[in-house]
Amino acid sequence: MRFLNSSMFFLSTALPIVVIFYMLKIRRKDTPISSIYLWQDLLQDIQANTPWQRLKPNILMLLQLLALISLIIALALPTISGQAGDAKNITLIIDNSQSMGTTIGGLSRLDMAKSKARAIIDRAPDGARISLITFADRSRIILVNSQDLNLVKREIGNLKPEGSSTNIDSAINIGTSIASRSKDSQVYLISDGCFEKVKTALKSPVKFVRVGESDDNVAIRTATLLENLNPPHLPLLFVSVENFSSKAKSILVSIYHNNKLIDSKQLKLKKRSMDSVVFKDGLLGLEAIEVRLSCSNLLKIDDSAWVLKSERALKNISLVSNGNLFLEEGLRAVSSAKISMVGPKDWMKDKNADIFVFDGFAPRSLPNRNFLVVNPPVVKSKPSVFEASGFERAPSIESLDPNHLVLQSVDLEEIKIARVKMTHIPSWMKALASGKSTTAIAAGEDDGRRAVLLSFDLRESDLPLRIAYPILLANIIDYISPAPVGKNLSRLNLGESIVIRPLAGASSITIDYPDGSRKMLKKEEQVFQDTRAPGIYRISQQVGSKVVSEPFAVSLISQRESDIAPADHPELAFRQTSKSRPSTSSVDVDIWRWFALAALVLLMIEGWVYVKGY
Amino acid sequence: MSLIDSKLLSSLDGLKIITHRPLPGRFKGDLRSLKKGSAIEFADFRDYVPGDDLRTIDWNIYARLERPYIKLFEEEEDTTIRILIDCSRSMRWGEPDKLNYARKLGGCLSYIALRNLNWVSVYGFSDGVNARFALHRGLAYIPPLLNFLEGLEPTGKTNLLGACRQIVSERSAAGLVFIISDLFGDNIDKALSLLGERKREVCVIHILSPQELEPDVLGDIRLVDSETGEKREASITPKLLNKYKKNLRTWKESLESACHKRGMNYIDIETSIPLDELLLKTFRKRGLLT
C-alpha cells in the first residue's frame, strides 16, 4: 500500500488528544434527584475535585480511535496495486521534459514511461482508439484517436526529453477534453511528477502513473560573466551550483575553452543547498566558456552550461538622471559600454544611445530603443505610464517569477526596500516581483521594444550592497541590449526560441549547431525553435562579401527540471486516480473510499454502542 | 378540607382499620382487634390457669377431655394509631409530589381511624420528629388534623431511627403504627427493630415517585442529592439505568424482607396510583382496611 498524501499523517497527533479527552473530566450539568442513595454503588469511578480521571478501557474510546485512524489513512490517499481499466478510448499524456532524462542503470525515466505506455496499449481491448499527447515546456498532440497501435508505439518510441520547463495544465486540459468526448475513455498521465500543482479542472478521470524514485541530482543554477568593478575591469565568471539530492555532495566545478581546461574549483554542498564560486584567472579574451560539474548524479544535461562574452552592439548607454552613483557604478560593472549622463530635458537629442536608463524620470513618449526605468516619479495628478501615484512602505516580496531572464539567479529573499512606488505599468509588461499592492520589478516587450522597470529608489534599499545587484543589472542589460542579428540573446534555455531577422542585403542565413552540423535557413524573418541540444549555436549571414555572425549559448538552467525528486499529485487523485511503480506494469488503485467508509461505519457503531450504553 | 376532597372522604366512611395482633386499648371501641377476650366472637381455646374466671371454662370440653380449657373470644376495643409521615427534603420530589401524597394518605387513614373512635396521633419527621398532632379521638378532630397535615413542610434528611426513638419513649406508645416514607436513609433496619416490639403493630408504606422508579436522566451529568446537596458525577447510560433499576428492586426486596421478619406489613406504592384506588382496592386486598 502506498500513500499519495502522506503529509496527512500529521493528523495522527490527534490520537493522543482523543485519549486525553477520556482522561479529562467532563463539564457536567447539575441534575437534582431525590436522593443519591441508590446511585452510590453505581458511581464509584468518579473521583472528586480532580480534573483528571484514571484511564479505563473504554469501547467508545477504542472505536473513536479506530475511526480517526481510518479517517487519517483515507486522507493520506492510500493506493494498492491493481490492473488498469480496459477503456476503449485511451489518452496517453507522456511527460518528456528534461527531468524525464534522469537515468539510472542505463534506463531513463522516459524509457520507463514508454514501457508503461506500451503496456497500457497492449492491454487495450480490440478496436481501442489511442490519443497521444506529450508535454514539456509546451504540449504537443502527437495522435488523436488512432487505431493503428503500431504507429502509436512508434511515436512513443521517438519521444526524447526536451524543453526547459514542464507545462502540465495545457496537456491535462487537452487530454481530458479528448477523453470527455466519449463515455468509455481513460486518461493516463505518465510522468515523474516534477511539475507544478495541476490547476486546470479535470474534465474526465486521470490515472497518474508515476515513474522515477531518486532525487540524486546537482545542477548549474547560474553562469554569468561580469566585469571586475576595479580597473583594469578584468572578467569574472560567477557560477552557482545547487545540490537537489538528499545527500551531501562534493562537486568539482571546472571551466573549459574549446574543451581545454582553464580552471577548477571544489564545492562541498549539504543536502538540498546551493553555493557559488567565482573564477577570475584565464578568462581574458575568451569568447565562449563551458562550465562543467564533475559529480555522480542522475541527470547529466544540467551539469554543463555555456557562457559567451558579450559582443553585443551595446556601445552607448544613455543614463537620464540627476545623478545616481549606485546606478552608474552598477552599469559600469556589468557592461563595457560608454555611459553618457543626460539631463531629463535632453535625452531625446541623444541619437547615439543604444539603450536608455531613466532614473527618477518618466519619458512622456517612449523611446524607440530598449530602456530601463528606475525609481519612477510620483505625480499628484492622474499618473501616466511609468509615473507613480504613491508608495507602499516596506513591502515584502510575495510573488516572484524566478525563471524570467531578468531574475535568473537573483536572490531577492533578503532584500529590504523602504518604499516601493505604485507605478502605472503598461499592460504589455509582466510583474516579476510584487508586494501586496505594488510591483517592484516588471519587464516586457512591446512591438520589438523591451523595457524593464525597477519601481523603487536604489538608495532606499539594500539591494546595491548585495551580490544580487550586479547579477540583476547584468540580467537587465542582457535583456534590453540590442543584438546585431534580429533580437537574439546571448544565452537561451533549452527549447527556447529566437527570432532571426535578415540583415539588409543578406544573401544567405545559416545556423551552426553545437554538434558541428550546419543548416541553411530561409532569407526571411523567422522564429528558430530547434534549440534542443545544449551548446554554442552560431547564426551567420552573408552580406556581400562579409559574413556577420552571432553566437548564442543554449543550456539547461531550470530549477523545475533539475529538481528531479518525484512528486505525487493528490489534486489528480480526487478523481479516479491510479499510480504505478516503475518496476511493475500494473496501476495502483486508490482505496481511500474504503477507509472513509470504515471510519463512517465505526462512528455509527460508536453511536449505537453509546445509545445502548455498553 | 382542601387537602383531601370531600368525595374521597365520603367514600372512606364505611372502612375500618384492621390490626393483626392484640393491641391494648383504653376504651371499648370500634376497631377490630385480635386480642382474645370476652366479646361474642369465638377465637380459640387455652389451658386453664389458677386465677382465671371460672365462667370462661368450657364445660363441654372438660366433660369430654377431663381437662379445663378456657374459651377465648375476639374482643373489639379502641386502640391508638400513630401515623409517621416522612417530611425530609427527598419527599418533596416527583410528579405527583411524594410529600403531598403522603399527607393525603395520612389524612385518609386518620379520617378512617377517627370515624371509628380510635385514638390518632400524627408525626412529621425528618432528622427527628418535627411536628406532632397529639392523641385525639372523635370526628371533631378531623378538621384540625387535616390542617396540621397541610402545614407539614419538607426539611432535613430522613432519620427514621431518631423519630422512632422519640415515639417509643412516649408514655403510651403501644398501638398501630403507620410509617409513610421513601426510606432514603440509614438505619432503617434498626428503626424497624425498635418499633417492632410486642405491643405495636407496624405497617410500612414505602412511597416512591414514578421518576424514581423510571429515572429520566441520561448523559454526562452531575447528580445533586435533594436532601444533602451532595453531588456525584455520572455518565448515565441505558446500561447504568438498568443497573439502577436492579438496585432499586433489590433494595425494596430487602426492606420487605426486613418487615416480614418482624411481622410487619410492607406495602410499596407509587405516587401515580390514585388514592381512592390505593385505599379501596390495594389496602383492602392487603388486609389493612375492611
Side-chain angles (χ1 to χ4, degrees):
Chain A
M1 192 191 299
R2 301 204 324 149
F3 297 96
L4 298 184
N5 196 13
S6 53
S7 61
M8 279 294 156
F9 281 115
F10 86 90
L11 287 176
S12 55
T13 52
L15 292 171
I17 294 172
V18 173
V19 178
I20 287 169
F21 278 148
Y22 275 85
M23 294 177 74
L24 270 175
K25 282 190 174 178
I26 309 160
R27 194 178 187 85
R28 294 159 194 269
K29 186 184 165 190
D30 282 356
T31 307
I33 54 165
S34 57
S35 173
I36 60 166
Y37 184 79
L38 291 174
W39 292 96
Q40 284 179 350
D41 296 345
L42 309 175
L43 308 177
Q44 284 174 346
D45 60 321
I46 308 296
Q47 296 168 28
N49 301 324
T50 55
W52 301 95
Q53 58 190 345
R54 188 167 53 89
L55 184 64
K56 294 192 301 184
N58 186 318
I59 191 165
L60 291 177
M61 182 181 75
L62 187 68
L63 287 168
Q64 283 172 6
L65 287 173
L66 286 173
L68 185 57
I69 289 168
S70 300
L71 194 63
I72 290 167
I73 293 174
L75 288 171
L77 301 175
T79 60
I80 54 168
S81 291
Q83 288 300 310
D86 293 330
K88 261 199 151 183
N89 296 288
I90 295 171
T91 303
L92 297 170
I93 303 175
I94 300 177
D95 181 356
N96 67 332
S97 63
Q98 294 296 347
S99 64
M100 294 291 281
T102 302
T103 303
I104 186 165
L107 196 65
S108 73
R109 289 181 182 175
L110 189 57
D111 294 333
M112 295 176 198
K114 288 174 183 176
S115 65
K116 294 286 167 204
R118 288 190 195 103
I120 291 167
I121 293 167
D122 290 340
R123 282 202 305 273
D126 291 341
R129 295 164 182 271
I130 313 281
S131 300
L132 178 62
I133 297 162
T134 63
F135 68 99
D137 49 359
R138 48 185 166 261
S139 308
R140 293 180 204 276
I141 304 170
I142 310 291
L143 293 166
V144 176
N145 291 336
S146 172
Q147 289 183 297
D148 185 347
L149 301 187
N150 289 328
L151 174 66
V152 178
K153 286 182 183 176
R154 271 203 308 279
E155 290 291 348
I156 289 170
N158 290 337
L159 294 178
K160 287 176 183 167
E162 62 181 38
S164 57
S165 62
T166 308
N167 184 0
I168 179 72
D169 280 295
S170 65
I172 289 286
N173 195 18
I174 295 165
T176 56
S177 296
I178 292 171
S180 65
R181 276 186 261 164
S182 53
K183 282 183 182 174
D184 187 17
S185 62
Q186 180 63 60
V187 179
Y188 292 92
L189 170 64
I190 310 174
S191 169
D192 54 7
C194 296
F195 48 78
E196 302 295 333
K197 187 179 177 185
V198 176
K199 296 185 187 96
T200 191
L202 305 183
K203 294 171 188 161
S204 62
V206 174
K207 289 191 175 182
F208 179 28
V209 182
R210 202 186 80 183
V211 293
E213 291 293 326
S214 177
D215 62 356
D216 186 12
N217 189 34
V218 292
I220 296 167
R221 297 283 291 114
T222 316
T224 307
L225 261 177
L226 303 169
E227 278 185 6
N228 198 320
L229 284 173
N230 301 316
H233 302 296
L234 292 172
L236 303 173
L237 179 62
F238 176 82
V239 179
S240 61
V241 180
E242 186 164 358
N243 177 17
F244 292 95
S245 80
S246 46
K247 291 181 285 187
K249 292 272 183 184
S250 179
I251 303 156
L252 185 67
V253 186
S254 309
I255 56 172
Y256 292 83
H257 175 65
N258 290 336
N259 282 327
K260 186 182 167 192
L261 180 67
I262 307 295
D263 199 357
S264 291
K265 287 184 189 290
Q266 192 79 29
L267 260 183
K268 287 190 177 175
L269 289 181
K270 294 176 184 170
K271 63 178 181 179
R272 302 198 78 80
S273 67
M274 188 160 82
D275 204 354
S276 307
V277 288
V278 178
F279 293 94
K280 296 175 185 172
D281 302 328
L283 300 175
L284 194 62
L286 301 183
E287 186 200 33
I289 300 164
E290 184 188 358
V291 183
R292 285 184 207 166
L293 303 182
S294 299
C295 173
S296 68
N297 67 105
L298 301 180
L299 186 61
K300 294 295 177 191
I301 198 162
D302 55 7
D303 291 354
S304 304
W306 283 262
V307 190
L308 291 174
K309 184 184 174 188
S310 180
E311 286 190 356
R312 301 194 160 271
L314 180 60
K315 290 174 183 164
N316 292 303
I317 297 174
S318 186
L319 175 58
V320 185
S321 170
N322 289 321
N324 186 334
L325 191 63
F326 283 134
L327 194 55
E328 206 176 325
E329 288 301 318
L331 289 171
R332 285 191 206 290
V334 299
S335 169
S336 56
K338 183 187 170 193
I339 298 169
S340 33
M341 296 288 289
V342 186
K345 290 178 183 173
D346 303 325
W347 70 270
M348 292 181 82
K349 296 173 189 168
D350 191 350
K351 303 294 180 193
N352 293 326
D354 296 313
I355 59 171
F356 285 100
V357 177
F358 298 102
D359 174 39
F361 169 72
R364 295 243 163 160
S365 58
L366 299 182
N368 56 2
R369 298 177 182 86
N370 297 343
F371 61 95
L372 163 67
V373 177
V374 182
N375 187 24
V378 177
V379 293
K380 288 180 182 173
S381 57
K382 191 182 174 188
S384 55
V385 172
F386 295 118
E387 286 183 337
S389 58
F391 303 95
E392 183 186 358
R393 293 189 183 277
S396 57
I397 301 298
E398 292 185 355
S399 66
L400 268 178
D401 183 1
N403 291 326
H404 195 278
L405 181 65
V406 169
L407 292 189
Q408 271 185 14
S409 307
V410 178
D411 180 11
L412 289 178
E413 276 188 18
E414 301 291 323
I415 301 294
K416 290 183 177 58
I417 306 171
R419 297 188 300 177
V420 172
K421 296 183 175 177
M422 293 175 183
T423 308
H424 182 197
I425 300 169
S427 59
W428 45 268
M429 288 189 96
K430 184 187 173 195
L432 305 183
S434 303
K436 209 171 214 173
S437 56
T438 54
T439 297
I441 303 172
E445 184 173 349
D446 177 40
D447 195 23
R449 177 178 51 200
R450 287 185 168 189
V452 176
L453 167 71
L454 299 182
S455 190
F456 54 95
D457 191 343
L458 291 171
R459 291 164 293 198
E460 289 186 345
S461 81
D462 62 353
L463 176 63
L465 309 176
R466 294 186 176 270
I467 190 72
Y469 181 56
I471 300 171
L472 176 66
L473 273 187
N475 286 349
I476 291 171
I477 294 302
D478 207 15
Y479 183 72
I480 62 176
S481 290
V485 184
K487 294 193 301 173
N488 297 335
L489 297 167
S490 64
R491 56 190 161 107
L492 293 176
N493 239 326
L494 273 177
E496 279 187 344
S497 56
I498 55 168
V499 177
I500 298 174
R501 292 196 177 107
L503 295 173
S507 57
S508 68
I509 305 174
T510 56
I511 186 152
D512 294 310
Y513 287 91
D515 61 0
S517 60
R518 175 173 287 187
K519 186 179 175 184
M520 191 72 84
L521 301 177
K522 292 176 186 169
K523 287 184 288 180
E524 58 188 34
E525 185 171 314
Q526 58 201 287
V527 177
F528 180 74
Q529 292 181 311
D530 191 12
T531 55
R532 283 176 291 187
I536 303 292
Y537 291 69
R538 187 174 293 276
I539 300 166
S540 303
Q541 299 197 43
Q542 184 82 40
V543 183
S545 58
K546 190 179 164 189
V547 176
V548 179
S549 83
E550 184 206 9
F552 62 91
V554 175
S555 310
L556 175 65
I557 296 181
S558 166
Q559 183 187 17
R560 179 67 273 171
E561 294 306 312
S562 295
D563 190 355
I564 60 168
D568 291 316
H569 287 269
E571 73 273 16
L572 292 167
F574 284 99
R575 292 295 185 98
Q576 187 183 342
T577 301
S578 294
K579 291 188 2 169
S580 173
R581 288 174 183 278
S583 57
T584 64
S585 60
S586 61
V587 293
D588 286 0
V589 179
D590 62 69
I591 53 170
W592 65 269
R593 287 175 186 82
W594 294 108
F595 283 94
L597 184 66
L600 185 66
V601 169
L602 284 164
L603 283 175
M604 288 171 71
I605 293 172
E606 190 247 346
W608 179 77
V609 168
Y610 176 77
V611 170
K612 289 287 176 187
Y614 290 111
Chain B
M1 295 184 197
S2 57
L3 183 68
I4 308 166
D5 66 72
S6 52
K7 195 178 168 188
L8 175 61
L9 287 178
S10 58
S11 69
L12 304 174
D13 282 351
L15 295 176
K16 290 178 184 176
I17 296 170
I18 298 175
T19 58
H20 296 84
R21 66 168 77 171
L23 297 172
R26 292 185 182 185
F27 308 103
K28 293 286 179 187
D30 201 24
L31 186 71
R32 201 168 170 204
S33 166
L34 290 184
K35 181 180 176 183
K36 309 299 182 286
S38 57
I40 53 169
E41 287 187 48
F42 169 78
D44 205 353
F45 295 98
R46 71 168 169 81
D47 286 334
Y48 169 79
V49 291
D52 279 343
D53 188 348
L54 292 175
R55 287 174 298 176
T56 60
I57 294 173
D58 188 329
W59 296 108
N60 290 328
I61 299 286
Y62 179 76
R64 215 176 297 155
L65 303 173
E66 294 185 344
R67 280 184 66 182
Y69 282 92
I70 298 293
K71 198 173 184 180
L72 298 176
F73 296 91
E74 282 188 358
E75 189 174 47
E76 287 187 345
E77 61 178 9
D78 70 324
T79 192
T80 305
I81 295 174
R82 288 182 171 79
I83 300 171
L84 276 67
I85 298 176
D86 184 354
C87 295
S88 63
R89 285 200 195 99
S90 66
M91 289 291 284
R92 175 66 87 201
W93 188 260
E95 189 60 44
D97 185 305
K98 285 188 290 182
L99 181 60
N100 202 32
Y101 196 88
R103 288 190 300 195
K104 285 180 180 176
L105 178 58
C108 290
L109 292 171
S110 304
Y111 177 81
I112 295 167
L114 288 172
R115 268 194 70 82
N116 291 300
L117 299 175
N118 291 300
W119 292 89
V120 174
S121 181
V122 180
Y123 300 80
F125 76 96
S126 54
D127 297 315
V129 173
N130 304 329
R132 181 182 177 222
F133 185 81
L135 273 174
H136 287 290
R137 187 171 188 252
L139 289 171
Y141 291 98
I142 291 174
L145 188 137
L146 293 178
N147 284 340
F148 166 80
L149 287 170
E150 277 192 75
L152 291 177
E153 287 298 329
T155 177
K157 57 181 187 177
T158 306
N159 182 4
L160 184 60
L161 182 60
C164 290
R165 278 184 181 139
Q166 279 181 261
I167 290 163
V168 298
S169 66
E170 287 180 6
R171 192 168 59 87
S172 172
L176 177 58
V177 179
F178 284 102
I179 299 170
I180 307 173
S181 170
D182 56 13
L183 301 176
F184 286 137
D186 299 324
N187 301 319
I188 301 293
D189 216 42
K190 283 184 185 173
L192 295 177
S193 297
L194 192 63
L195 275 182
E197 290 176 4
R198 280 179 58 195
K199 58 184 178 181
R200 270 184 295 274
E201 181 174 337
V202 180
C203 177
V204 177
I205 301 171
H206 190 190
I207 184 167
L208 291 172
S209 69
Q211 290 76 25
E212 286 162 335
L213 297 167
E214 292 280 344
D216 55 355
V217 290
L218 210 62
D220 298 312
I221 54 171
R222 188 184 292 117
L223 299 172
V224 183
D225 189 314
S226 64
E227 281 191 357
T228 61
E230 188 183 346
K231 294 178 179 178
R232 297 296 292 268
E233 292 177 347
S235 296
I236 311 288
T237 60
K239 192 181 177 186
L240 197 72
L241 282 180
N242 285 337
K243 281 186 181 175
Y244 168 86
K245 287 174 195 168
K246 194 178 168 189
N247 240 10
L248 177 71
R249 204 161 47 242
T250 311
W251 178 57
K252 283 163 70 177
E253 283 168 4
S254 70
L255 287 171
E256 188 173 13
S257 160
C259 290
H260 288 170
K261 197 168 70 183
R262 293 172 178 85
M264 297 175 180
N265 214 336
Y266 171 86
I267 300 175
D268 61 317
I269 59 171
E270 189 180 332
T271 55
S272 59
I273 302 170
L275 259 181
D276 53 349
E277 186 185 324
L278 177 76
L279 291 162
L280 298 172
K281 290 185 180 170
T282 313
F283 276 29
R284 288 176 81 172
K285 196 174 171 187
R286 299 289 298 267
L288 280 173
L289 296 176
T290 184

